[in-house]
Amino acid sequence: MNGPSSNATILVVDDQPANLQILAEILQNQYDVRIAINGEKALQIAQQNNKPDLILLDVKMPGLDGYQVLAELRRDEKTCHIPVIFVTAQHDVDNETRALAAGAVDFISKPINPQVVCARVNTHLTLRQREIAFQQLNTELENRIKERTRQVETLNTALQERATQAETANAAKSLFLGNMSHELRTPLMAVIGFTDLLQRQIDEPAVLHKLSRIRKAAGNLSSTINQILDFTQIESGNTAQVTIDFNLAAMLHKINDTIEELAVAKTLAYAYDVDSAIPANLNGDRVKLEQVLLNLASNAVKFTRHGAVSLRASLIEATGEEVKIRFEIQDTGIGIDQSLLEHIFVPFEQVDNTLTRQYGGLGLGLSINRKLIEMMGGEMGVESESGKGSTFWIVITLKRSQTQPAVASRIPPLQSLQTNKARPRILLVDDDFINQELLKFLLNEAGLQCDSANDGEEAVGMVKNTDYDLVLMDIQMPIMDGLAATRAIRLLPERRLTPVIGVSANAFAEDKDRCFEAGMNAFLAKPVAPEVLYSELAKWLIKNDR
């Protein structure tokens, strides 16, 4: 750097107008000169956004003298770095020493010598600019060092994680994937929810088309997260079997609605057939069975370009309490070579890596499906021929239902809520303001009154003062989490029966168990589809549906 910038700003401070004029005339050809007639004015100018690059400061002035002005400048972090040169007639050694000790960078004696002023100003501006440049360089070097350190730390962490995974591979993998699923579910709920809202509010075809693309992509991401979560639960041994009474035809009808829509979109024929000898009402893990059948049927459509997809259920054997059923999902798709069949149920593997690029997928679905079926005491296999199609089969034993499953209302849950004249009042508890906004939209759309709380402590206080018909409770929140808040609510005599529905991105079986142990009545995993939310709300708010 050869010299100071020509647009540098110099502040000249002196109570004598003649001195101000002399210094201004000396410097104004090279610099932007500002003047102050006293110390107070000088401090005002120094505090402005366009701060001076250097100050020429008289020592002896009425009001604030030069030393007091300098002390104020040095106390303020915004002005403490501005170089100050004292200009005074008091040019003895003691005064020079005092000035330098106070923080001045130089001392110019009166009467003023123009050459000395220019030289000193030029020197200290140059030094200041070099100091700034060195500070910037130092900051840049520090940032580079921090970044390099971060990279090294990241690399070391990755190496340590790999070493740990080598020793406890399944446990470490399950923990990582579980955390990842949790972090993705919360924002994904907002993406899916607001997209659904917009699809119901907008009529323009071009916009609806784009929204449908967003919704489909979000659905695919949600499916991927669910697969990862399922896999981690299975690997960690935390997947519990939940048996309930259910109607087989109703379950298959729900699957058919989804698969038929997918098949029609690809101009594929779709058919399903249920053996009339199978009892209508059964008992078993309906959720897992439906999940597996839906996944296998979706895969059949995905890997079939032309032809047909079918779902069949046939009775193998029936005893007094149990029935053995064979489900088959058949397609006319790409098929699988006989030599590769043994690999398709291995986690993270696909029979051909080119299929991942062409059709997508993690290579987890079939592995999860088989493990879920085996957990239910069943078997799963495949018969296939490359280029001609595949038949995936499941053989599972279910119990006969000892009770008649409740018949679902034909009125859609949303409509039931909207026509409910009681207009129930809901307390929504969530620390995520985006999800809070989304849920408020959904609740208002259903004609429900809604108050909101940002944490569990606030929620408990509101429940004490208001008789809410239902509480939607997030689990992971600051100050007081949803579990502690629910326990506190259950200790309130008049609120022990208030329905509390947990809504959380933590969707492991043990998370659900903790919710029920805390006193919650139901649990919804994020992202919550609007129809699922409305269905659960209707169960607790519509008296006839309980």
Side-chain angles (χ1 to χ4, degrees), residues 33 81 147 212 214 231 235 301 315 324 332-333 371 420 424 451-452 523 532:
V33 179
H81 300 297
E147 177 61 22
S212 69
I214 295 174
F231 183 76
E235 289 293 295
V301 174
L315 180 66
K324 181 180 286 187
T332 57
K371 288 183 177 181
N420 184 8
D451 296 333
S452 60
F523 179 90
V532 174

Side-chain angles (χ1 to χ4, degrees), residues 147-180:
E147 177 61 22
R148 184 59 57 88
T149 302
R150 188 193 65 78
Q151 291 175 352
V152 171
E153 289 175 349
T154 301
L155 179 60
N156 288 336
T157 301
L159 292 174
Q160 290 173 0
E161 288 179 353
R162 289 184 181 180
T164 302
Q165 289 173 355
E167 296 173 2
T168 56
N170 287 335
K173 180 173 57 181
S174 298
L175 178 61
F176 167 75
L177 294 176
N179 288 337
M180 185 188 70

Side-chain angles (χ1 to χ4, degrees), residues 227-240:
Q227 284 191 12
I228 294 171
L229 187 60
D230 288 340
F231 183 76
T232 57
Q233 287 182 301
I234 292 170
E235 289 293 295
S236 61
N238 291 326
T239 301

Side-chain angles (χ1 to χ4, degrees), residues 215-249:
R215 183 62 178 84
K216 182 178 180 181
N220 291 339
L221 179 57
S222 179
S223 177
T224 300
I225 294 171
N226 289 337
Q227 284 191 12
I228 294 171
L229 187 60
D230 288 340
F231 183 76
T232 57
Q233 287 182 301
I234 292 170
E235 289 293 295
S236 61
N238 291 326
T239 301
Q241 190 170 350
V242 181
T243 59
I244 59 172
D245 291 337
F246 67 97
N247 182 276
L248 180 64

Side-chain angles (χ1 to χ4, degrees), residues 255-288:
I255 294 172
N256 289 334
D257 285 346
T258 301
I259 301 305
E260 189 167 18
E261 182 178 349
L262 296 175
V264 169
K266 294 184 68 174
T267 64
L268 300 174
Y270 176 70
Y272 81 101
D273 179 65
V274 180
D275 190 338
S276 59
I278 300 176
N281 300 315
L282 302 168
N283 179 278
D285 197 329
R286 181 195 64 80
V287 174
K288 291 186 179 66

Side-chain angles (χ1 to χ4, degrees), residues 417-545:
L417 293 168
Q418 289 173 332
T419 56
N420 184 8
K421 296 180 180 180
R423 294 200 69 219
R425 192 174 198 86
I426 309 298
L427 176 60
L428 169 61
V429 190
D430 200 316
D431 65 317
D432 187 288
F433 294 109
I434 298 177
N435 279 334
Q436 194 178 109
E437 181 182 359
L438 169 63
L439 289 169
K440 281 183 179 178
F441 273 120
L442 295 175
L443 294 174
N444 290 334
E445 186 179 43
L448 302 173
Q449 302 178 77
C450 177
D451 296 333
S452 60
N454 301 318
D455 58 70
E457 185 176 80
E458 184 181 354
V460 174
M462 294 177 70
V463 170
K464 285 181 180 178
N465 299 321
T466 305
D467 185 13
Y468 290 102
D469 296 285
L470 184 143
V471 179
L472 277 177
M473 182 77 73
D474 188 23
I475 306 303
Q476 189 169 320
M477 295 182 291
I479 304 177
M480 179 186 284
D481 64 28
L483 300 177
T486 302
R487 295 188 190 99
I489 291 172
R490 293 303 180 224
L491 292 176
L492 303 173
E494 67 279 14
R495 303 290 185 258
R496 288 182 178 178
L497 299 180
T498 300
V500 178
I501 299 176
V503 183
S504 177
N506 296 325
F508 284 112
E510 59 267 28
D511 298 313
K512 298 178 184 179
D513 291 340
R514 282 194 288 268
C515 290
F516 291 121
E517 289 170 3
M520 293 185 182
N521 302 89
F523 179 90
L524 297 175
K526 295 178 181 178
V528 183
E531 58 272 17
V532 174
L533 174 66
Y534 293 141
S535 177
E536 193 63 44
L537 290 174
K539 290 179 184 178
W540 299 98
L541 298 176
I542 307 300
K543 304 299 182 181
N544 292 335
D545 286 355

Side-chain angles (χ1 to χ4, degrees), residues 336-348:
I336 306 168
D337 189 270
Q338 292 291 321
S339 63
L340 300 175
L341 286 178
E342 61 185 76
H343 297 287
I344 66 172
F345 295 107
V346 178
F348 302 105

